[in-house]
C-alpha cells in the first residue's frame, strides 16, 4: 500500500501505510508510550514479547496499518483474519491511537482505510469487543457501520476493580 497523506482536524499532517516488519521497533516504542488513560479500557500491557508472539509471528493473518508522524507511529489498527476454514472471510479488529492524536479524526481515517483493505482482501465480516463505557470507540464503530450484536455481561475487569460489560459488535462488509 502506498503512503497516504492525511491532514487531521487540528491541521497536523500524518502518513498512513501498511505495517511491515521494518516498523516493528517503532511499534514497540509506541505501545510503551501509550498513557494509562489510553490503555484504561483496552487490554494492556502490550509488551514487546506479546506483540512479537501474538502479532508479528502471525503477519500472514493480519491486515495491519500504522500512521506515522515525524517517523513515529502514532496510530495502529489491525484485523486478525481467522485462519480456520469455517471462519473464512472473517476477522477481528483492534485500534489504538496515541493520546496526542486522539479525537481529531485519525481513528476514523484509519478504520476507513483498514476496512477498504479488508474488503479488497475478500473479507466480509469484521467483529470486535469493546467495553461499553468506551463511548468514543463505540461512537466511532457505529459511525462506520458496526452494529451491536450482543452484550458480554461482567466480561471486563476494569482498573477500578469493577466488572464491566462489553459489547460484541460486527460489520458485514458487503452490506
Ligand atoms: C477510540 C479511538 C480509537 C478513537 O480514535 P480517535 O482518533 O480518537 O477518533 P476520531 O477522532 O476519528 O473520532 C472520534 C469520534 O467520537 C466522538 N466522541 C469523542 N468523545 C466521545 C464521547 N465521550 N462519547 C461519544 N462520542 C465521542 C467524536 O466526536 C468523533 O465523532 P465524529 O467524527 O462523529 O465527530 C482512540 O480514541 C483511542 O485509541 N482510544 C484509546 C484506545 C481505545 O479505546 N481503543 C479501542 C479499544 S476497543
Amino acid at each position: 500500500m502506498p503512503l497516504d497523506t492525511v491532514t487531521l482536524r487540528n491541521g497536523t499532517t500524518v502518513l498512513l501505510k501498511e505495517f511491515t516488519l521494518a516498523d516493528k521497533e517503532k511499534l514497540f516504542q509506541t505501545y510503551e508510550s501509550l498513557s494509562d488513560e489510553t490503555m484504561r479500557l483496552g487490554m494492556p500491557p502490550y509488551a514487546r514479547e506479546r506483540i512479537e508472539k501474538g502479532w508479528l509471528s502471525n503477519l500472514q493473518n493480519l491486515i495491519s496499518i500504522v500512521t506515522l508522524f515525524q517517523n513515529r507511529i502514532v496510530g495502529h489498527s489491525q484485523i486478525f483474519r481467522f485462519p480456520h476454514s469455517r471462519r473464512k472471510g472473517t476477522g477481528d479488529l483492534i485500534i489504538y491511537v496515541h493520546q496526542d492524536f486522539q479525537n481529531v479524526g485519525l481513528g476514523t481515517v484509519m478504520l476507513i482505510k483498514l476496512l477498504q483493505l479488508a474488503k479488497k482482501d475478500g473479507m466480509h465480516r469484521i467483529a470486535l469487543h469493546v467495553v461499553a463505557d468506551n463511548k468514543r470507540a463505540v461512537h466511532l464503530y457505529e459511525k462506520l457501520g458496526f452494529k451491536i450484536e450482543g452484550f458480554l455481561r461482567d466480561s471486563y475487569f476494569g482498573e477500578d476493580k469493577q466488572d464491566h460489560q462489553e459489547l460484541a459488535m460486527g460489520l458485514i462488509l458487503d452490506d
Side-chain angles (χ1 to χ4, degrees):
M1 175 176 104
L3 289 177
D4 270 0
T5 303
V6 177
T7 300
L8 303 173
R9 265 205 308 267
N10 62 358
T12 306
T13 297
V14 294
L15 292 173
L16 237 67
K17 69 185 270 297
E18 211 154 342
F19 172 82
T20 70
L21 277 182
D23 304 311
K24 80 174 192 181
E25 286 301 323
K26 287 191 197 109
L27 192 68
F28 296 146
Q29 283 161 13
T30 298
Y31 275 94
E32 276 164 22
S33 75
L34 293 182
S35 66
D36 291 349
E37 180 54 26
T38 293
M39 283 298 178
R40 190 169 61 83
L41 298 171
M43 295 292 278
Y46 287 101
R48 184 177 284 247
E49 195 186 37
R50 178 170 167 209
I51 295 175
E52 291 261 19
K53 247 192 178 159
W55 300 347
L56 306 185
S57 66
N58 251 316
L59 273 188
Q60 72 283 4
N61 293 321
L62 292 181
I63 304 175
S64 181
I65 61 170
V66 289
T67 298
L68 295 171
F69 176 72
Q70 294 178 346
N71 213 27
R72 279 192 302 135
I73 291 177
V74 297
H76 173 235
S77 186
Q78 69 186 19
I79 293 169
F80 176 74
R81 281 188 297 229
F82 297 127
H84 198 289
S85 59
R86 297 286 194 231
R87 297 252 186 257
K88 185 170 152 33
T90 74
D92 64 15
L93 178 146
I94 64 159
I95 179 165
Y96 283 96
V97 172
H98 187 276
Q99 50 276 7
D100 296 345
F101 290 78
Q102 288 171 9
N103 224 13
V104 289
L106 180 55
T108 305
V109 168
M110 290 190 77
L111 287 193
I112 290 171
K113 188 79 202 174
L114 188 67
L115 294 172
Q116 277 170 358
L117 290 176
K119 203 164 179 175
K120 216 164 123 196
D121 197 60
M123 298 195 71
H124 73 275
R125 173 187 161 80
I126 313 297
L128 59 90
H129 289 173
V130 57
V131 182
D133 307 333
N134 195 346
K135 301 291 183 212
R136 185 189 295 164
V138 173
H139 175 88
L140 174 61
Y141 298 140
E142 285 188 321
K143 187 172 74 169
L144 290 172
F146 283 81
K147 303 270 190 265
I148 296 172
E149 298 180 329
F151 302 89
L152 289 80
R153 294 172 300 157
D154 282 0
S155 61
Y156 182 90
F157 187 64
E159 46 129 57
D160 57 1
K161 313 276 183 243
Q162 304 292 319
D163 289 319
H164 294 257
Q165 170 167 271
E166 285 179 288
L167 307 177
M169 300 187 77
L171 171 71
I172 302 297
L173 283 169
D174 322 310
D175 270 1

